[in-house]
């Protein structure tokens, strides 16, 4: 619920910004291929794990699939025009691996690559900086059939694919993200099974996490060699993890979940090692025999930036006999070796995903990465919220989403004030789309999509964001 005592942010903006972001701050919005493109069989595209998963009964709400999604594949020029109208400085999109390299190996598919060439040209033509994510979860199905991310060879396949995309687009794309949220690919895909490919094996999830990072490191090396001027990074989804009470047992629960959610990725990529406590916690799950000599050097190949996706905070407590948490990322199977840790809700306002709204958590997260890990430029590559939207007289007044963006941008600004080199912010998402296992039942867009007619309606939050971008800042509260 929005706070009724809070002044209307749009109106207050008219008085001029009181909070200004650094010059050149990169204001953007993000999407992902499978969530918006549709055209699942067009131009030689073959199935990814998400096609298979969403077409399997009982995997997604309502049996929804990305077959059509926002039909962005066919409506791309109009969608880019909309981005230009909003004044976006940058657009973060992902390339569909099975569109540009059907089956996940062998030659490039010219028709698939051509779509991204046209997209990038369209963006550049409108003065919008393209930001390309190589992997936003759509592994070609044959690679899953050959073992998926728990299999080491998938990392090599990913580096080949990265090279192929760099060859085609490297001359016009400056910003590259290798992986989006490897935690989700590994622990939701192979641990809880809530995401494609829907497997449920803790050891496989840990192996998948390692091979995803190995693929990231190999891809960075390939991209660096062929495009020395590119800005290369990875995007991780991070959560502050807070103990429910100050008891030592709850503190230990928080330490464990922090290791699995955050340090599992931050330490190898930015320090070249796995945390010792993580390895000890996972002793009953895996002996880390899948980690070979030299892997961590590859995984920690230097980057130019770090992308952070921020949505919420985890509040956790020590196990209580007989009590188990339930669904989604709170599912015990997401957390190998720490299955019995409880995820606690605090009764604070939540979004339509039931995720607690916690803007200070963004400051904490950014400060932590900067303080504990790196001086590299940081970018919020995703941040946003789902709320139920209603169209009234052709308009969508999404006050709650607007307030969410507003509070998190204030948090981003506070982090900059505290010395964090935050260089940009990408709203999730440009438009409503296929929200994975939730299908089309959760709306994250700043632009409303009517899935029957494919009409797009910029919501109040989109108009507000356009104004924020135009002024490079926010009004005083
Ligand atoms: C992130 C994903 C993105 C979207 C948002 C809500 O975990 O990267 O695709 O689903 O959550």
């Amino acid at each position: 619920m929005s706070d009724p005592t809070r002044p209307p942010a749009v109106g207050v903006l008219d008085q001029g910004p009181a909070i200004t972001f650094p010059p050149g701050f990169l204001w953007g919005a993000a999407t992902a291929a499978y969530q918006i493109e549709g055209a699942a069989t067009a131009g030689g595209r073959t199935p990814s794990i998400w096609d298979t998963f969403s077409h399997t009964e009982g995997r997604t709400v309502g049996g929804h699939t990305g077959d059509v999604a926002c039909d962005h594949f066919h409506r791309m020029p109009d969608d880019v025009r909309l981005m230009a109208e909003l004044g976006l400085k940058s657009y973060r999109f992902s390339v569909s691996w099975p569109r540009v390299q059907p089956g996940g190996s062998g030659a490039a598919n010219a028709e698939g690559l051509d779509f991204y060439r046209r997209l990038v040209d369209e963006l550049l033509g409108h003065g919008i900086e393209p930001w390309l994510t190589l992997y936003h979860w759509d592994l070609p199905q044959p690679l899953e059939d050959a073992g998926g991310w728990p299999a080491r060879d998938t990392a090599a396949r990913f580096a080949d694919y990265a090279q192929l995309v760099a060859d085609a687009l490297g001359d016009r794309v400056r910003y590259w993200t290798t992986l989006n949220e490897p935690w989700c690919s590994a622990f939701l895909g192979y641990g809880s099974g809530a995401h494609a490919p829907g497997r449920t094996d803790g050891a496989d999830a840990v192996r998948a996490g390692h091979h995803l990072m190995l693929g990231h490191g190999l891809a960075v090396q390939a991209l660096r060699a062929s495009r020395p001027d590119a800005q290369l990074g990875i995007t991780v989804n991070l959560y502050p993890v807070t103990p429910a009470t100050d008891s030592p047992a709850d503190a230990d629960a928080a330490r464990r979940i922090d290791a699995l959610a955050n340090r599992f990725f931050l330490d190898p990529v930015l320090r070249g090692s796995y945390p010792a406590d993580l390895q000890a916690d996972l002793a009953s799950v895996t002996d880390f025999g899948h980690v070979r000599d030299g892997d961590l050097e590859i995984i920690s190949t230097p980057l130019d930036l770090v992308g952070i996706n921020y949505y919420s905070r985890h509040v956790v407590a020590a196990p209580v006999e007989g009590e188990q948490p339930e669904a989604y990322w709170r599912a015990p199977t997401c957390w190998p070796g720490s299955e019995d840790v409880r995820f606690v809700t605090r009764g604070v306002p939540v979004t339509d995903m039931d995720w607690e709204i916690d803007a200070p958590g963004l400051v904490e997260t950014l400060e932590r990465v900067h303080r504990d890990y790196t001086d590299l430029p940081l970018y919020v590559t995703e941040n946003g919220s789902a709320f139920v939207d209603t169209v009234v007289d052709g308009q969508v007044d999404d006050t709650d989403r607007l307030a969410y963006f507003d509070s998190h941008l204030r948090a981003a600004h506070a982090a900059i004030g505290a010395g964090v080199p935050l260089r940009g912010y990408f709203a999730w998402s440009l438009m409503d789309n296929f929200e994975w296992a939730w299908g089309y039942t959760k709306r994250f867009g700043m632009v409303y999509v009517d899935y029957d007619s494919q009409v797009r309606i910029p919501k109040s939050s989109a108009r507000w964001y356009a104004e924020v971008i135009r002024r490079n800042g926010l009004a005083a509260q």
Side-chain angles (χ1 to χ4, degrees):
M1 294 292 290
S2 57
D3 177 0
T5 60
R6 186 196 180 105
V10 178
V12 173
L13 262 179
D14 293 340
Q15 293 158 21
I19 289 180
T20 307
F21 283 74
F25 193 76
L26 200 59
W27 295 103
T31 64
Y34 191 70
Q35 296 182 275
I36 65 163
E37 284 179 6
T41 56
R45 182 184 180 280
T46 58
S48 76
I49 53 175
W50 269 99
D51 296 89
T52 309
F53 187 78
S54 64
H55 279 270
T56 305
E57 209 187 320
R59 292 303 205 173
T60 63
V61 173
H64 294 175
T65 74
D67 286 0
V68 177
C70 308
D71 197 31
H72 170 72
F73 185 79
H74 296 114
R75 294 162 196 269
M76 180 273 287
D78 286 345
D79 287 339
V80 174
R81 213 162 315 149
L82 191 52
M83 296 175 211
E85 278 165 28
L86 296 179
L88 296 190
K89 305 281 185 220
S90 182
Y91 171 56
R92 175 175 175 250
F93 62 97
S94 81
V95 171
S96 160
W97 187 347
R99 200 182 282 295
V100 305
Q101 191 187 37
S105 54
N109 173 29
E111 221 177 318
L113 280 175
D114 186 55
F115 170 71
Y116 296 103
R117 254 195 223 108
R118 285 188 287 115
L119 167 62
V120 167
D121 287 348
E122 202 74 41
L123 290 168
L124 293 172
H126 284 89
I128 301 171
E129 181 85 54
W131 186 306
L132 187 155
T133 297
L134 283 163
Y135 187 74
H136 203 126
W137 308 353
D138 41 5
L139 184 71
Q141 184 62 41
L143 297 187
E144 171 58 23
D145 298 340
W149 285 110
R152 189 177 174 89
D153 188 53
T154 305
R157 299 280 67 76
F158 177 67
D160 284 356
Y161 154 69
Q163 182 69 61
L164 173 156
V165 180
D167 290 345
L169 299 170
D171 61 339
R172 54 197 103 174
V173 174
R174 180 146 180 261
Y175 291 95
W176 296 74
T177 290
T178 53
L179 306 174
N180 179 72
E181 301 189 353
W183 184 86
C184 293
S185 300
F187 291 94
L188 296 179
Y190 295 92
S192 80
H195 279 189
R199 284 158 62 180
T200 50
D201 182 303
D204 277 345
V206 174
R207 266 195 290 274
H210 182 72
H211 295 140
L212 279 152
M213 287 190 282
L214 185 62
H216 152 81
L218 292 169
V220 169
Q221 295 184 349
L223 291 167
R224 182 76 75 211
S226 60
R227 307 302 315 180
D229 47 345
Q231 292 288 298
L232 307 176
I234 188 171
T235 278
V236 283
N237 52 319
L238 302 179
Y239 297 81
V241 185
T242 306
T245 71
D246 56 12
S247 77
D250 286 358
D252 194 57
R255 179 196 60 72
R256 297 177 79 105
I257 298 303
D258 177 53
L260 281 165
N262 300 318
R263 292 184 283 120
F264 187 104
F265 298 95
L266 289 170
D267 281 43
V269 170
L270 296 170
R271 290 185 180 159
S273 59
Y274 277 106
D277 64 326
L278 171 82
Q279 297 189 58
D281 292 347
L282 284 168
S284 64
V285 177
T286 173
D287 61 3
F288 278 79
H290 53 278
V291 180
R292 298 203 189 149
D293 281 355
D295 282 5
L296 285 155
E297 284 71 36
I298 295 170
I299 289 171
S300 58
T301 302
L303 299 174
D304 303 301
L305 59 91
V306 177
I308 294 166
N309 291 357
Y310 177 78
Y311 288 94
S312 191
R313 177 191 303 271
H314 292 319
V315 182
V316 300
V320 170
E321 189 95 29
E323 232 182 78
Q324 286 285 327
E326 288 153 30
Y328 206 45
W329 43 257
R330 291 185 181 135
T333 48
C334 290
W335 309 102
S338 294
E339 293 86 349
D340 50 2
V341 169
R342 289 178 304 138
F343 283 72
V344 174
T345 47
R346 294 172 294 172
V348 305
V350 296
T351 69
D352 193 33
M353 300 294 283
D354 261 346
W355 297 349
E356 293 189 353
I357 301 171
D358 194 321
L362 176 58
V363 188
E364 266 173 61
T365 300
L366 293 168
E367 287 188 335
R368 182 214 192 160
V369 173
H370 177 59
R371 183 188 62 233
D372 294 353
Y373 287 96
T374 184
D375 289 331
L376 285 174
L378 306 182
Y379 290 82
V380 172
T381 40
E382 283 179 31
N383 174 241
S385 55
F387 287 103
V388 176
D389 293 314
T390 27
V391 184
V392 179
D393 296 334
Q395 307 280 324
V396 180
D397 195 16
D398 59 338
T399 330
D400 289 333
R401 187 176 293 99
L402 190 157
Y404 182 100
F405 282 133
D406 180 89
S407 61
H408 287 73
L409 284 178
R410 288 175 200 282
H413 190 268
I416 295 171
V420 173
L422 180 68
R423 298 284 154 73
Y425 174 94
F426 290 76
W428 182 271
S429 176
L430 173 68
M431 56 183 151
D432 295 335
N433 56 48
F434 175 79
E435 178 47 35
W436 309 112
W438 294 97
Y440 299 98
T441 63
K442 304 291 178 190
R443 293 182 179 271
F444 274 90
M446 292 190 298
V447 173
Y448 183 90
V449 176
D450 177 327
Y451 294 110
D452 293 328
S453 65
Q454 292 295 348
V455 163
R456 276 79 160 129
I457 305 171
K459 304 175 192 176
S460 297
S461 60
R463 299 186 193 293
W464 170 85
Y465 192 53
E467 197 57 19
V468 170
I469 296 173
R470 200 174 68 73
R471 297 177 183 227
N472 198 37
L474 296 150
Q477 230 165 358

